[in-house]
Amino acid sequence: MESQSSSRVELPLSFVNAHIDVLVQLIADMLDRLMSHNDRIPLLPESLTRFHSRSAPGISVLDYLKRIVKFTKVEKSCLLITLHYIDKICTRTPLFTLSSLTCHRFIIASITVSSKGLCDVFCNNSLYAKVGGISVSELNTLEREFLSMIDWRLTCTYELLQEYYVNLVRTHSSGMYVIVGSTENSEDSDVEVDSTSRTPSLHEPSAIFADPSSATSETRRPTIEQNMAFAALRNQQQDSN
């Protein structure tokens, strides 16, 4: 127990104060797990979207996000709100799947749209396209498609972004991160989220996650929040054992 606690990395209570490199690590970890789940779902012709590539890009999601941060100076809120957009689109467009074929194009479209909509300073599409490894015309098309899929609703609350941050820390696959000052850090605390919030209770994950190995085309497309809840519950059960 001492070696485990000593290896943990303490993070600030608010995502605003977290280092952007840490946010990239947290988000990439969640997206990798989400893609791993969704890549097992058979790809149907009606599920194809403009975000699908013919093959998975040769760059990892982590390195892709690092590249975007390095060359576009994207703000932290624009990184986190990508998770909110995934939830919105999965709700509005049930056939859409964030997989290894769609994730990279989705990310660069999300960063482009959110930066323009939420930030005072942002890059032009030529730079976003170059950083994202696609043509300007393709990014323009993805941008229009993305805005349509989120119904042009670009914003969300600070509280919601904070929930994503807390859950990303809580469910990170390494278990190495811990938020300083959070009551959920106590070993005796009961890990559960208020039922009035958008994040589901960790004691009541979606039924489709009863056994992740049994995922089928009918039990598909978990949202980011459901993935967080399931991973947290699984970690909690392992700790209790």
Side-chain angles (χ1 to χ4, degrees), residues 174-190:
S174 71
M176 65 182 291
Y177 294 108
V178 60
I179 294 179
V180 178
S182 172
T183 56
E184 294 173 357
N185 294 337
S186 171
E187 293 182 1
D188 297 328
S189 64
D190 204 15

Side-chain angles (χ1 to χ4, degrees), residues 58-159:
I59 182 173
S60 68
V61 169
L62 176 59
D63 288 340
Y64 195 66
L65 286 171
K66 287 181 177 179
R67 176 178 170 84
I68 292 173
V69 168
K70 178 180 179 180
F71 292 107
T72 71
K73 308 300 182 183
V74 60
E75 294 188 10
K76 299 170 187 176
S77 57
C78 294
L79 289 173
L80 277 175
I81 205 171
T82 299
L83 306 181
H84 173 58
Y85 292 154
I86 293 172
D87 280 342
K88 285 179 64 70
I89 289 176
C90 286
T91 300
R92 289 175 51 84
T93 312
L95 288 179
F96 177 79
T97 300
L98 194 83
S99 67
S100 58
L101 297 179
T102 61
C103 189
H104 295 72
R105 280 179 165 81
F106 187 97
I107 289 173
I108 195 60
S110 174
I111 296 299
T112 301
V113 166
S114 62
S115 296
K116 290 181 179 181
L118 306 178
C119 304
D120 294 330
V121 179
F122 52 87
C123 306
N124 57 37
N125 276 25
S126 296
L127 181 58
Y128 286 126
K130 185 175 182 179
V131 172
I134 57 178
S135 66
V136 177
S137 61
E138 184 176 7
L139 179 59
N140 292 341
T141 299
L142 292 178
E143 185 179 9
R144 290 191 295 269
E145 182 73 9
F146 192 96
L147 287 167
S148 175
M149 292 173 78
I150 63 172
D151 195 28
W152 293 78
R153 299 180 184 274
L154 298 174
T155 63
C156 72
T157 64
Y158 163 86
E159 288 75 18

